[in-house]
Every structure is written in C-alpha cells, then in structure tokens.
C-alpha cells in the first residue's frame, strides 16, 4: 500500500509526462484509491484518502490542459467528477441523512428530557456536517474555476480585451469567477480550431458541474432558505446559463437549469429548458422523464380546487395565468403522447373523432388568447418566444422530426395532427396581424423612413415567433424531401398528415398574401433600395447552410430569439446559430436596427415557405404515402451521444451504516401483457432478476453520466419501471362511476408520485363504482394476469373535458 502511494506521489510531481503517461498515472491513482476504500474501518474523510483524491484531481487537471482534444473524446471531465468530487459529496449527504434519522428516532422516545437532549445534539451534528460539506464545495468550486481559467488562457478562448487569469483568492471573491466566464467564446463561433472547440466543450461541462456545486451549497446551506424564491438560485443559474452560452447545442446544461426552475415552480421556463435538452444537437434523453414530472406537478397545482381563482405572484398557477387558460393541460397532453413516453404506456386509447373535435375547439381558443396576449403586451417578449417555441418542440417530438429518429406505430397521428394545427393556427393569426399593420401603415407611407416603420408596436411583438415558425416549416420541408428520396419518393403517413394540417388551416395562402403585401409596401416606402435577392427553394433544399448564413452570419444584432434558441437542432439537422465558415455571407440589410433585420429575415423566410409548401403538397398528393414500420422492425438506436443515469454508488465505505440503493432499476419477474402490443425482446432476458428493496428515480440530476449509444436499449428497459413510479401509467376505470372526480390527483395512500415502490398490492388499482373514473395511482409489485386488464374506456382528453363540464 505504501509503495503504491509513493508511486502516485512521484507521478503527480512529474510535470513532463505526456498524455499516455498521465493516463497511466490516473489509472494507478484510481486503483490506489479503490484499495484504500476497501480497507476495514477506513475514515473516508481522513487526510490519507483526501490526499489521494487531490492527487487524482491534479492529474486530471494536467491531462485536460495538455490534451483537451483527446480528453474530450474520452470524457475525462465526467470521470474526474465521478471519481474525485461527487462521491465525497454523496458521503457527506449520507452522513447528514444518518444524523437526521437518528434525531427523529430520538424524538420518539417516551422520556421528554432525553428526547430534547438527543434533538439538540442531532441539530448540532447536522450543523457541523453541513459546515464541512460547505467547505468542501467551496474548495471544489475554486479548483474547477482555476481549471476553467487555465484552459481559457492556454487555448486563447477569451478576447484580447478580457482580463488575465485570476488567482484563487480573486476567483473566490469575485462572484466565483462569473466575470471571467462571461468573456468566453461560444463553441458555435466561426473560425475555431478543433482543439478550441474541444476545449470549449470541456469548459461547458466544467461550468455545468460548477452549477451543481452551487446548487448543493444552496440545498445544504447552514441556514436553509426558501427554495421557491428565485434569488436563492442565482449563482447556480448563472453557471448553468454560462455553460449553455459556451456550448448551447449540448443538452445536459439545459436539463440542469430546468431542475432549478422546478425548485422555483416555474413551469414555463422549466418545460422550455427540458425541451431544449431534448432538441439540442447532443440530446439529453433523460430530460423526457423530467419533463413529464414537472408537468405532473404543475397540473396538480393548477387543477387544485380554487387555484385558478387565486391571483398568484409566483409558482405554477402564476405561469398559467400569465399565458392562457388550459396552457398547462395542453402541454401535459402533448408531452404525455410523445413516443418515448408511450414506450411504457402502450394501452393508451386512440383519440376519437368527437374528442379530437373538442380538442381542436379548445386549441382554437388557446391560439386566439395567446396572440391577443402577445399583441396587447400582456405576455412579454421572452415569454412569447419560449411559449411559441414549446409548440414547435412538441410538434418536432410528436412528428418524429428529430434528426436520427425513425417513425414507428407508436407515433400518434391524431395528436401530431392536432399539434401541427396549433402551430399553423398561431402562425396564421400572426401573419394576419402583421398584414393588417402593414396595410394600415401604407396610408401614411410618405411619413415613414424605413420598412420596419410599417409595423406597429403590437405587430412587432409577433415577428420573432413568426420567423421561428417559418424557419421550422422550411426545415421540415427539407427533411420531408430528403426522407422521400430514401423511401422511394414517398412520404410517411405521419409527415403527410402534418403537411396537410398546415395546408388545411389557411397558412399557405396567408403566407402568400403577406409576402405580396410586404413587397408592395417596400416599393412605396423605400424605392431606392432594391429588395434583397431571395433564396430559392432549390437552393435551400440543396444546402440549408445558405439559409443559415443569411439568418445568422451577416448581422451583429443581439436578439432574444438567438439567445434562447441557439443550439436548437431543426428537423433537417441545421443548428440554430451555427454558420459554416465555407458559406459566403453578404452584408446584412438593416444594419444594427433589430426591427429592420427582422423585417428582411421575415421576407426571406416568407419567400422560401411560399415555394416550399406547394412543393410539399404536390409531393404528398402525387408520390403516395409510405407505410409505417412496426416497432419490432424499427431500430430505435441512433448515433447521438446519450447521457443517462447510472445510479448512486452501490455501497458505502466500510464502517458506514446508511443503505444506498442499487445502481439501476431492474424489470420485475412478471411483465404486463398488453393486447396487440408485444413487450420488447429484452424483457424476457431480464425477467429472472430480483427487484431491489428501493427503486431509484429515473434521473438523478446529481449523477448524469455519459454512456455509449450501445447501452441505450438496456437503459430504456430500466427506465420503464421508474416512469411508472413518477406517474407514467394512467389506467382507465369504470365508465359508469357517477360520483367522485373524473380523475384523482391524489393517491389512495401516500404521495401521488412516490420515488419508492410499493411492495405489496396489484400493479393497477381498479376503482370501485363510487370512486374516480380512473386513478393515477400506480404500484410496483407483482403484475396481475393479462385477462384482468381492460382496454381504456376513453381518451385522456375526453376524461378531462367531462371533468370540467361536471364542475
């Protein structure tokens, strides 16, 4: 043991080691740490183990600075985090939980005096352990910040006017280095070398972990604060947002930021951030379960009796009131029917025609209320862009428009069609608002100085979301065109329904009218300046980077939509904000005036969409519809980097007594047999494993680890049972129940969505005649025979409508 420690210490002192030697020394140091941890009665917080962990941190630091390109490919940052920092945090948290449990047990004694003494001693120990954890988090923050500063200086990631590298004391006192981080470049910046891009990816991960450390500091503060208050989380949100700014196309930081919004009960920004994690170029797959969790919580809060009549100033009800009626319910409905969620809810009833009619009427009212709120100024610009982008994200998920996704029978065509109708109606209303403003302003054309002056203050508020919608439509058309070439010049049924929904709700004709109106207005207001040459449809479908260069490569105006949507991967694979260096960029019309820039971008995308949509309609009508592949024939694997939960450490250090759950959730012995929906092939292989005593949640945001795509299928099986535990199952009950609420937002015993499994009772609790129409209670014990399962009586939306009619 002493010989191994001496070798590690000598390796740390060698400053001339190359990449291979550093990798070998890290492996040796890790083996020494593992050997020390298995020593009987070892003190995890002793100086010996602390020295080994510091040696590992130093070796990783030298490796990251010396060879960031190789370190990024091997994910050295995650290995450093889970080897030297996160386990220590978990040990401190386990120690605090252990003392809290002991204090609660002491209060239950019959001797009042003895219980008071035990409670006082427990509070004292908890305060001491919290202070030690706070000190460790403070030291780890300084270590990671110095590493960020060293990487930025070594690889020229800061502008020449930025301050030099700060020492540790300065980093610890100047808002934890946020001034330094604000000056870093973005990974989407044009002209970066491969090494610089890899370094920025490393810096983004380091900033994400800095946000995690700040979040722990708030959760385990010496004096617990109000977790709902937004100012409490400013430091953690600052690090997460800087990580997003450095690498906006990586989804993990978006997920971690959404966790903070969940603490604040901010459903709008939380749902937006989770969708950003799912639609980024490097998607964070576990965010799908987190998305449904926050919507479960928001829907319970909004549907609570009397909640809508309260004038809230924060929380889920406040977000509902700031948007429009049924905002949370519609978000929940579309998230609930997304394909990944339906992998474990295969017994969902189809959307019947009468239910679809009622849902369409509700969406029409919602679209009208949303545009009215935007034009009147009741909804702010940032909230407008986020709320409308959520609609596009939902459609992209429901219509299988994410790059690399393959359409299966699990995709609900009716729900996707309704989602497309929602987008089309909103865009149609926005186009009419802009057109009416331009037509009205034409009467005083001689008084106007530029085309942007044709837009009134109310119509300017809808231009940014309208540009976003038109760009998404053009990108979707390019995707359909490319997919049709690979499907023998045919279109899948799902995508054909999406295109028909856009056509049937008048968006195509409205786009043509607005385009002609803007061209006529330009001829009267600005005759000396010719119209910018439009990009043709043939150019766009051949090379979308040409469109990206026109939108983001020429102007230098900072816009809200660029800040919020940077890194979003559109259906054709284009990343919002990324411009290829090989594509020529022309001078931007409009200069530094954001309204003129948006005017010209709107005209460019109107011209493109006006050509693309008729071509898509011709493609759908003349080339036929391709049948959808079955679930068994479809390969759900894709090449996108997957970041999934790997579980907490399987065991504590010898000598500790607090139990820790196993590393993954296993499939029970019996699998529910759903008619006409065979279970996955891997279920039979895992049926003989035993269920652990405690189930871990699907995604623990404190331990998100990068794994290879080959493990994706196995992880999806482990996700199924955890999704049931957070309320993924909705089981229909008796249609003839005449009393009680239509659906119960409270379980019959215990919390509604418990992260701990119920060890007894059937998998599905069927309500009695006097109970609710269907219950959202789920348990995780033995499954009933398949003949006991009844098909769902009606769709979720029908049940929700009946509930409100009854109220």
């Amino acid at each position: 043991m002493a010989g191994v420690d001496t070798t590690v210490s000598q390796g740390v002192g060698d400053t001339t080691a190359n990449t291979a030697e550093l990798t070998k020394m890290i492996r040796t140091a890790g083996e020494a740490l593992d050997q020390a941890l298995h020593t009987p009665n070892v003190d995890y917080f002793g100086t010996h183990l602390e020295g080994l962990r510091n040696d590992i941190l130093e070796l990783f630091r030298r490796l990251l600075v010396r060879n960031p390109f190789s370190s990024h490919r091997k994910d050295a940052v995650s290995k450093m985090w889970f080897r030297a920092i996160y386990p220590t945090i978990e040990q401190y948290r386990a120690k605090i939980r252990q003392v809290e449990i002991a204090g609660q047990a002491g209060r239950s004694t019959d001797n009042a005096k003895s219980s008071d003494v035990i409670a006082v001693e427990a509070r004292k120990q908890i305060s001491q352990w919290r202070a030690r954890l706070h000190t460790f988090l403070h030291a780890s923050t300084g270590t990671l910040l110095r590493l960020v500063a060293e990487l930025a200086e070594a690889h020229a990631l800061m502008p020449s006017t930025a301050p030099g590298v700060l020492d540790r004391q300065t980093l610890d006192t100047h808002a934890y280095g946020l001034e330094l981080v604000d000056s870093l470049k973005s990974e989407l910046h044009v002209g970066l070398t491969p090494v610089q891009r890899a370094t920025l990816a490393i810096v983004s991960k380091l900033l994400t972990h800095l946000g995690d450390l700040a979040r722990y500091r708030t959760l385990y503060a010496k004096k617990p604060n109000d977790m709902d208050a937004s100012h409490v989380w400013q430091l953690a949100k600052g690090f997460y947002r800087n990580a997003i700014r450095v690498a906006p196309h990586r989804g993990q930081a978006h997920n971690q930021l959404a966790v903070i919004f969940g603490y604040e009960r901010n459903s709008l920004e939380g749902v937006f951030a989770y969708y950003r994690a799912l639609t980024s170029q490097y998607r964070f797959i576990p965010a799908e379960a987190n998305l449904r969790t926050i919507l479960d919580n928001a829907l319970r809060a909004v549907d609570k009796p009397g909640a809508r009549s309260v004038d809230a100033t924060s929380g889920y009800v406040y977000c509902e009131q700031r948007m429009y009626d049924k905002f949370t319910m519609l978000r929940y409905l579309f998230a609930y029917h997304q394909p990944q969620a339906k992998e474990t809810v295969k017994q969902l009833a189809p959307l019947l025609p009468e239910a679809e009619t009622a849902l369409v009427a509700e969406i029409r009212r919602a679209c009208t209320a949303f545009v009215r709120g935007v034009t009147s100024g009741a909804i702010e610009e940032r909230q407008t862009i986020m709320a409308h982008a959520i609609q596009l994200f939902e459609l992209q998920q429901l219509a299988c428009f994410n790059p690399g996704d393959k359409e299966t029978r699990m995709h609900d065509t009716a729900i996707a069609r309704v989602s497309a109708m929602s987008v089309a109606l909103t865009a149609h209303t926005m186009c009419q608002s802009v057109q009416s403003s331009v037509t009205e302003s034409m009467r005083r054309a001689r008084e106007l100085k530029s085309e942007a002056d044709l837009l009134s203050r109310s119509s300017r508020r809808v231009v940014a979301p309208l540009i976003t919608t038109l760009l998404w439509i053009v990108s979707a058309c390019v995707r359909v065109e490319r997919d049709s070439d690979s499907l023998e010049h045919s279109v899948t049924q799902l995508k054909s329904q999406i295109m028909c929904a856009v056509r049937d709700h008048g968006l195509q004709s409205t786009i043509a009218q607005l385009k002609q109106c803007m061209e006529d207005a330009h001829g009267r207001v600005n005759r000396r300046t010719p119209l910018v040459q439009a990009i043709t449809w043939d150019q766009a479908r051949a090379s979308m980077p040409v469109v990206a260069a026109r939108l983001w490569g020429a102007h230098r105006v900072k816009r809200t939509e660029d800040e919020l949507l940077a890194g979003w991967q559109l259906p054709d694979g284009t990343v919002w904000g990324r411009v290829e260096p090989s594509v020529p960029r022309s001078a931007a019309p409009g200069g530094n005036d954001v309204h003129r820039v948006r005017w010209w971008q709107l005209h460019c995308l109107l011209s493109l969409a006006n050509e693309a949509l008729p071509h898509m309609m011709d493609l759908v009508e003349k080339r036929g519809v391709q049948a959808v592949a079955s679930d068994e024939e479809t390969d759900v694997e894709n090449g996108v980097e997957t970041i999934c939960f790997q579980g907490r450490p399987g065991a504590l250090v010898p000598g500790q007594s607090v139990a820790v759950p196993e590393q993954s959730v296993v499939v029970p012995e019996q699998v529910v047999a759903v008619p006409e929906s065979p279970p996955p092939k891997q279920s039979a292989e895992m049926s003989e494993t035993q269920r652990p005593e405690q189930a871990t949640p699907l995604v623990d945001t404190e331990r998100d680890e990068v794994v290879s795509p080959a493990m994706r299928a196995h992880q999806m099986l482990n996700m199924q049972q955890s999704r049931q535990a957070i309320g993924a199952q909705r089981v229909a009950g008796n249609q003839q129940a005449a009393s009680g609420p239509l659906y119960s937002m409270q379980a019959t015993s215990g919390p509604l969505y418990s992260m701990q499994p119920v060890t007894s009772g059937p998998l599905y609790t069927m309500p009695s005649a006097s109970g609710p129409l269907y219950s959202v209670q789920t348990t995780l014990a033995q499954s009933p025979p398949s003949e006991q399962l009844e098909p769902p009586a009606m769709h979720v939306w029908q049940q929700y409508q009946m509930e409100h009619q009854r109220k």
Side-chain angles (χ1 to χ4, degrees):
M1 180 69 183
V4 176
D5 293 344
T6 304
T7 304
V8 173
S9 300
Q10 292 176 354
V12 173
D14 183 10
T15 59
T16 61
N18 56 29
T19 302
E21 293 172 345
L22 286 172
T23 304
K24 184 178 180 180
M25 286 189 287
I26 290 173
R27 188 181 302 111
T28 304
E31 293 173 355
L33 180 60
D34 292 337
Q35 185 177 353
L37 289 174
H38 287 83
T39 304
N41 301 322
V42 65
D43 182 11
Y44 190 90
F45 306 103
T47 56
H48 177 65
L49 291 181
E50 183 179 358
L52 290 175
R53 289 192 295 268
N54 291 335
D55 290 343
I56 293 176
L57 277 175
E58 175 61 21
L59 291 172
F60 270 112
R61 182 196 66 80
R62 289 166 51 190
L63 178 64
L64 290 168
V65 175
R66 181 180 182 86
N67 194 340
F69 188 80
S70 176
S71 300
H72 172 58
R73 288 192 300 109
K74 297 179 179 180
D75 196 22
V77 175
S78 296
K79 294 176 181 177
M80 177 184 68
W81 172 260
F82 291 116
R83 170 59 84 175
I85 299 178
Y86 180 75
T88 305
I89 298 174
E90 280 296 284
Q91 293 298 327
Y92 276 115
R93 298 178 69 190
K95 200 68 177 178
I96 294 173
R97 287 195 299 268
Q98 182 181 5
V99 177
E100 289 176 346
I101 293 172
Q104 293 174 0
R107 296 190 189 99
S108 61
T109 59
D110 296 335
N111 191 341
K113 183 176 180 180
S114 176
S115 63
D116 293 340
V117 173
I118 294 175
V120 171
E121 183 65 24
R123 287 196 297 269
K124 182 178 178 181
Q125 293 184 16
I126 290 174
S127 179
Q128 292 175 352
W129 283 110
R130 285 178 182 269
R132 294 183 63 178
L133 175 58
H134 188 275
T135 302
F136 175 78
L137 295 174
H138 185 90
S140 301
T141 300
T143 301
L144 296 187
L145 272 175
R146 284 185 286 118
L147 180 55
V148 169
E150 192 172 356
L151 286 168
E153 184 184 41
H155 300 283
L157 299 180
M158 295 183 296
S160 57
T161 57
V165 175
L166 308 177
D167 57 17
R168 177 175 179 177
Q169 182 178 2
T170 308
L171 286 173
D172 288 346
T173 55
H174 286 74
Y176 288 93
L178 290 180
E179 296 90 347
L180 171 68
V181 174
D182 288 339
S183 62
L184 293 174
K185 297 179 181 179
S186 172
E187 195 176 347
L188 300 180
H189 191 273
V190 180
L192 296 176
T193 64
V195 174
Q196 287 178 321
R197 294 188 185 279
T199 305
L200 286 171
I202 291 174
V203 168
S204 176
K205 288 190 175 183
L206 290 173
L207 293 174
T208 302
H209 292 317
L210 283 167
D212 293 337
L213 293 173
R215 179 164 54 89
Y216 287 130
R217 292 187 64 184
T218 304
L219 288 172
Y220 290 90
K222 297 179 182 178
K223 296 181 180 179
N225 299 303
D226 184 7
M227 299 305 172
D228 297 345
S230 60
H231 68 274
V232 175
W233 306 100
Q234 287 302 320
L235 186 59
K237 290 195 292 186
F239 280 121
Y240 290 143
R241 282 169 173 159
N242 277 289
I244 293 171
R245 188 182 57 79
V246 171
H249 59 303
R250 303 185 182 275
Q252 186 177 10
H254 293 284
N255 179 83
Q256 303 300 89
L257 180 61
V259 172
I260 302 296
F261 291 131
Y263 293 151
E264 298 176 355
R265 293 183 172 88
N266 187 339
S267 57
L268 175 62
E269 296 195 49
V271 170
F272 175 79
Y274 279 131
Y275 271 122
R276 284 300 321 273
L278 290 171
T279 57
S280 298
Q281 183 179 4
Y282 298 98
R283 292 182 287 169
F284 190 83
I285 302 300
E288 183 266 342
N290 293 346
L291 168 67
R292 299 185 68 246
T293 300
I294 192 175
L295 286 172
D296 281 338
N297 298 333
L299 188 61
R300 285 204 303 269
V302 171
D303 281 353
K304 187 177 180 180
R308 296 175 184 269
S309 60
V310 177
D311 188 12
T313 58
S314 62
Y316 297 130
V317 179
Y318 174 76
C319 295
E320 173 87 2
Q321 293 174 348
R322 289 300 301 269
M323 291 293 104
Y324 47 84
D325 190 32
K326 301 294 192 306
F327 171 79
T328 305
M329 180 58 201
L330 292 175
R331 305 289 74 78
Y332 178 84
L333 180 70
F334 290 132
Y336 181 63
H337 284 83
Q338 289 174 13
Q340 291 180 345
K342 289 182 63 178
E343 289 179 7
T344 56
V345 193
K346 295 186 179 181
Q347 64 270 31
L348 283 176
L351 187 63
L352 300 179
E354 53 271 19
E356 184 175 354
T357 303
L359 182 58
V360 167
E362 192 66 51
I363 287 179
R364 288 183 182 277
R365 289 192 291 270
C367 292
T368 303
F370 175 64
V371 177
R372 186 187 305 116
V374 173
T375 54
S376 65
I379 304 178
E380 300 175 358
E381 181 185 32
R382 189 180 183 89
Q383 296 173 337
T384 299
I385 295 173
M386 286 192 293
H388 188 61
I390 287 174
Q391 296 184 359
L392 298 175
F393 297 153
E394 291 168 343
L395 180 56
Q396 186 164 320
Q397 295 283 107
L398 290 168
C400 193
F401 269 126
N402 283 318
D405 286 353
K406 294 183 179 180
E407 185 177 335
T408 67
R409 296 186 188 277
M410 213 174 285
H411 290 78
D412 195 326
T413 305
I415 290 294
R417 181 173 60 248
V418 172
S419 178
M421 184 212 73
S422 175
V423 172
L425 282 177
T426 305
H428 171 75
T429 311
M430 289 180 176
C431 286
Q432 289 182 333
S433 175
V434 175
Q435 184 176 352
S436 62
S437 174
V438 173
T439 304
E440 181 68 23
S441 300
M442 288 280 287
R443 301 175 182 176
R444 50 185 182 86
R446 295 182 179 181
E447 304 175 5
L448 304 179
K449 297 180 180 180
S450 65
E451 302 85 350
D453 295 335
L454 290 166
L455 299 177
S456 62
R457 181 175 300 179
S458 59
S459 61
R460 286 180 177 181
R461 298 189 181 104
V462 303
V463 172
L466 183 56
I467 290 174
T468 306
T469 306
L470 294 173
L471 178 60
W472 191 92
I473 291 174
V474 171
S475 178
C477 291
V478 173
R479 170 71 179 271
V480 172
E481 176 79 13
R482 293 176 183 174
D483 290 350
S484 67
D485 295 337
S486 62
L487 294 175
E488 298 180 355
H489 301 285
S490 59
V491 183
T492 62
Q493 181 179 5
L494 180 61
K495 292 181 173 57
S496 65
Q497 292 285 341
I498 300 302
M499 293 301 166
C500 291
V502 173
R503 176 199 61 189
D504 295 341
H505 292 88
L507 182 58
Q508 182 176 339
S509 59
T510 308
I511 287 175
Q513 295 173 6
L514 178 58
K515 171 182 173 293
Q516 186 62 42
C517 180
M518 292 180 67
E519 292 177 353
D520 295 342
H522 173 81
R524 296 184 58 181
V525 175
N526 194 355
R527 299 180 180 179
R528 298 181 179 180
T529 305
L531 281 170
V532 179
Q533 185 178 2
I535 301 175
T536 64
W537 165 242
D538 293 334
Q539 291 176 323
R541 64 181 177 180
S543 176
M544 274 296 287
V546 176
V547 181
R550 177 69 64 87
L551 295 178
W552 307 304
H555 69 85
R556 298 184 179 274
V557 178
K558 292 183 179 181
R559 302 177 302 169
T560 307
E561 58 267 32
D562 292 335
E563 175 191 350
L564 293 174
L565 302 176
W568 171 27
Q569 192 169 26
L570 296 166
D572 71 296
T574 301
V575 177
W576 187 292
R578 172 177 289 172
V579 179
E580 298 296 334
S582 59
V583 180
R585 289 169 286 174
S586 57
N592 295 326
D593 187 352
V594 62
H595 299 297
R596 292 194 64 190
V597 170
R598 284 175 174 169
W599 171 276
W600 289 108
Q601 289 184 351
L602 178 61
H603 178 264
C604 173
L605 291 173
L606 284 170
S607 302
L608 260 178
N610 190 43
E611 286 189 64
L613 286 176
H615 181 80
M616 287 298 103
M617 296 302 104
D618 178 73
L619 186 67
V620 170
E621 294 174 359
K622 295 184 178 180
R623 296 191 180 182
V625 177
Q626 176 74 19
V628 181
S630 63
D631 298 340
E632 292 80 6
E633 298 174 354
T634 304
D635 182 13
V636 299
E637 189 69 47
N638 56 52
V640 181
E641 177 188 38
T642 306
I643 310 176
C644 291
F645 172 62
Q646 292 298 298
R648 297 178 183 272
L652 290 175
V653 177
Q656 304 293 336
S657 61
V658 179
V660 181
E662 296 292 333
Q663 289 196 356
S664 61
V665 179
V666 297
V667 180
E669 295 182 0
Q670 297 183 7
V671 179
V672 180
V674 181
E676 302 181 1
S677 296
K681 299 180 180 179
Q682 293 87 343
S683 299
E685 301 174 0
M686 303 180 62
S687 61
E688 298 179 358
T689 60
Q690 298 294 328
R691 174 177 297 280
E693 295 182 0
Q694 294 183 350
T696 54
L698 170 63
V699 179
D700 186 343
T701 56
E702 300 142 9
R703 182 173 172 81
D704 302 317
E705 191 168 1
V706 179
V707 297
S708 61
M711 297 179 63
R712 175 64 180 150
H714 176 70
Q715 290 166 347
M716 289 304 300
L717 290 175
N718 291 341
M719 288 181 185
Q720 292 181 3
Q721 298 303 319
S722 298
R723 283 175 178 159
Q724 293 177 3
I726 61 174
Q729 286 286 13
R730 298 293 188 272
V731 181
N734 191 349
Q735 292 188 45
Q736 300 177 357
S739 61
L742 182 62
Y743 65 93
S744 174
M745 302 309 291
Q746 298 294 335
T748 56
S749 63
L752 176 62
Y753 302 115
S754 175
M755 305 311 290
Q756 302 296 332
V758 179
T759 56
S760 63
L763 179 63
Y764 305 111
T765 302
M766 304 303 291
S768 60
S770 60
L773 183 59
Y774 80 96
S775 173
V776 297
Q777 178 190 10
T778 60
T779 58
L780 296 178
Q782 299 293 335
S783 304
S786 60
E787 59 269 12
Q788 296 181 8
L789 277 178
E790 299 180 1
M794 59 181 63
H795 192 268
V796 175
W797 175 251
Q798 291 175 285
Q799 298 172 358
Y800 186 83
Q801 288 294 104
M802 290 179 61
E803 163 68 6
H804 280 270
Q805 291 174 5
R806 191 174 294 180
K807 288 182 180 180

